[in-house]
Amino acid sequence: MLSSLRIGRSLANSWITGVIQGAHLSTASEASHTVMPYKLHLLENGPNTEVTYTREEALKFYKQMRMIRVMETTAGNLYKSKIIRGFCHLYSGQEAVAVGMEAAITPQDSVITAYRAHGWTYVRGISVHGVLAELTGRKTGCANGKGGSMHMYSPNFFGGNGIVGAQVPLGAGIAFAHKYQEQDNVCIALYGDGAANQGQLYEAFNMAKLWDLPCIFVCENNGFGMGTSAERAAASTTYYKRGDYVPGLWVDGMDVLAVKEATRFAKDFVLKNGPILIEAATYRYHGHSMSDPGTSYRTREEIQEVRQTRDPIGKFKEVIINAGLVTNEEIKKLEDEVKKEVGEAAELAKTDPELPLNELYTHIYVDPPKDMKVRGCDDSIWSDTR
């Protein structure tokens, strides 16, 4: 049994504890939740394990996670219908990481991640339509249909990056920019457990610590790299300690409230002390990409057990209902709204106009030189190189 499942029952027990405590609160506008204990590296104190949250936050977090889940299910169906082509990496199962972290930062803070980017694109301000239209290569996509699944962007969201691990040193550079410009902001640089073995990560850790950059390095440990488990790919799977001289903490990445509190702590820490490393223990329900069935290196029973005991959306629903913050009727109405919004966005993503062919040569430079010529675009250059 993989380590991701070995902790499953203890994680489930933590959720139950939070449900029981929340059920006895006398107010319906605010509740308290006990999270799974954090694991610390080079830290004397960690985030709070008792997290208070409001009814408004409960509804917001649930809707965001549900929106990502339905959006990703829709994207998977569009891919199977051959409406989406190329690469497509789904975020289903990992929703609590993006939603929880976004809840603890501001729009002025920066985020950069790998190619499993749809969920992060949504929480950073892009509509479901903007995400799905990008996936189908439409002009109305968030990158005008040019980026596809791997390369999505929004203000202070630097992608979606296709090269494994390469976004981490870029994230350190973004954090350097924040510090250089004396901005009170941080950069969250995310990567997977597979990318955690890339050498460039450790070069980035070194520079970030040397200059005390406000960077939160986040390993989204979903248990598997491309076709194999973390245990078979890494001699050490305690990713929160991988920074060595960089402090680290482990958080239950299936608990949106735990992730939010860990990120709040991390932001405060890095603005005062320099970089920190977070390992968010999560799980992906689908394969590495759409070409990977996801069952050749794990069983269907394993996936089903995680869905039943650790699912971030289902467990959060139990917590907020038992805490008296929301009702089953409100949840049902919210879910219907989500389904309707995603359905409408999917229809637009199938019918919106595609880019004309001449757009192939645009957006090469932000400010192109006045006399710049592009091969394939400028007739004289094209004729000279035949």
Side-chain angles (χ1 to χ4, degrees):
M1 189 68 69
L2 298 171
S3 62
S4 58
L5 287 178
R6 286 198 294 267
I7 63 174
R9 289 182 176 83
S10 61
L11 289 168
N13 290 337
S14 173
W15 276 103
I16 293 170
T17 300
V19 169
I20 293 172
Q21 291 181 348
H24 295 289
L25 293 177
S26 59
T27 176
S29 62
E30 189 174 273
S32 181
H33 173 68
T34 303
V35 306
M36 186 79 173
Y38 306 95
K39 300 174 186 177
L40 308 179
H41 172 63
L42 298 181
L43 292 169
E44 293 185 3
N45 300 296
N48 297 321
T49 55
E50 192 74 13
V51 181
T52 300
Y53 63 107
T54 66
R55 166 182 159 82
E56 289 72 26
E57 288 178 317
L59 288 168
K60 178 181 178 182
F61 299 163
Y62 185 82
K63 183 174 183 178
Q64 286 181 321
M65 290 194 291
R66 177 62 66 181
M67 192 74 77
I68 294 171
R69 179 71 58 85
V70 177
M71 180 179 72
E72 293 295 65
T73 300
T74 301
N77 292 334
L78 289 171
Y79 192 95
K80 292 171 185 175
S81 301
K82 297 185 178 180
I83 297 172
I84 293 174
R85 300 297 186 103
F87 294 100
C88 187
H89 300 82
L90 303 180
Y91 203 63
S92 302
Q94 301 180 215
E95 296 90 350
V97 179
V99 173
M101 289 194 164
E102 181 64 28
I105 60 176
T106 70
Q108 290 71 43
D109 292 314
S110 301
V111 175
I112 187 168
T113 189
Y115 37 73
R116 201 176 305 281
H118 310 163
W120 268 106
T121 306
Y122 170 71
V123 299
R124 287 261 88 187
I126 297 298
S127 68
V128 175
H129 174 214
V131 173
L132 293 180
E134 186 60 36
L135 287 168
T136 57
R138 306 291 171 163
K139 189 175 182 178
T140 51
C142 60
N144 296 137
K146 291 186 172 185
S149 178
M150 286 187 173
H151 307 292
M152 297 185 178
Y153 309 92
S154 71
N156 292 320
F157 177 57
F158 295 84
N161 293 264
I163 301 175
V164 177
Q167 72 277 7
V168 178
L170 293 176
I174 296 167
F176 177 80
H178 283 312
K179 183 170 184 175
Y180 185 81
Q181 296 177 65
E182 299 182 349
Q183 298 168 337
D184 195 28
N185 298 112
V186 303
C187 178
I188 297 178
L190 301 107
Y191 56 96
D193 49 279
N197 299 317
Q198 285 278 329
Q200 58 191 317
L201 269 71
Y202 301 94
E203 297 178 45
F205 295 164
N206 179 61
M207 298 300 287
K209 183 57 183 173
L210 189 65
W211 295 336
D212 284 334
L213 302 181
C215 194
I216 304 173
F217 297 106
V218 180
C219 176
E220 289 187 275
N221 180 8
N222 61 26
F224 302 92
M226 188 174 178
T228 191
S229 66
E231 287 86 349
R232 294 182 63 192
S236 171
T237 56
T238 52
Y239 296 103
Y240 69 102
K241 295 181 179 179
R242 289 283 198 96
D244 189 10
Y245 38 79
V246 176
L249 66 92
W250 178 99
V251 61
D252 175 11
M254 304 294 263
D255 183 342
V256 65
L257 297 173
V259 173
K260 180 195 172 192
E261 173 59 19
T263 308
R264 181 205 61 78
F265 172 88
K267 178 176 177 177
D268 182 67
F269 180 90
V270 301
L271 287 173
K272 298 174 182 175
N273 305 288
I276 195 171
L277 199 159
I278 294 178
E279 176 188 348
T282 184
Y283 197 87
R284 60 169 168 81
Y285 292 151
H286 298 285
H288 174 75
S289 66
M290 293 301 293
S291 62
D292 169 22
T295 54
S296 59
Y297 46 85
R298 58 181 179 177
T299 64
R300 296 183 187 278
E301 290 73 23
E302 176 187 320
I303 301 171
Q304 189 61 29
E305 182 178 343
V306 175
R307 283 184 178 272
Q308 292 174 350
T309 61
R310 296 180 58 201
D311 182 69
I313 302 175
K315 291 299 180 181
F316 189 60
K317 177 181 176 180
E318 292 178 18
V319 167
I320 60 180
I321 289 177
N322 282 279
L325 293 182
V326 299
T327 65
N328 277 305
E329 290 72 22
E330 288 177 309
I331 290 292
K332 179 63 169 60
K333 180 181 178 182
L334 187 151
E335 290 174 345
D336 289 343
E337 292 172 354
V338 166
K339 184 177 179 180
K340 182 175 183 290
E341 182 175 340
V342 176
E344 292 174 349
E347 288 304 311
L348 289 172
K350 290 188 288 186
T351 58
D352 283 344
E354 296 181 351
L355 285 173
L357 189 60
N358 62 2
E359 285 288 338
L360 182 64
Y361 305 103
T362 62
H363 298 127
I364 297 174
Y365 292 98
V366 174
D367 296 308
K370 182 178 180 181
D371 298 321
M372 185 186 78
K373 299 182 187 301
V374 179
R375 180 180 298 178
C377 179
D378 182 85
D379 291 337
S380 62
I381 283 190
W382 183 248
S383 61
D384 290 344
T385 56
R386 291 180 183 180

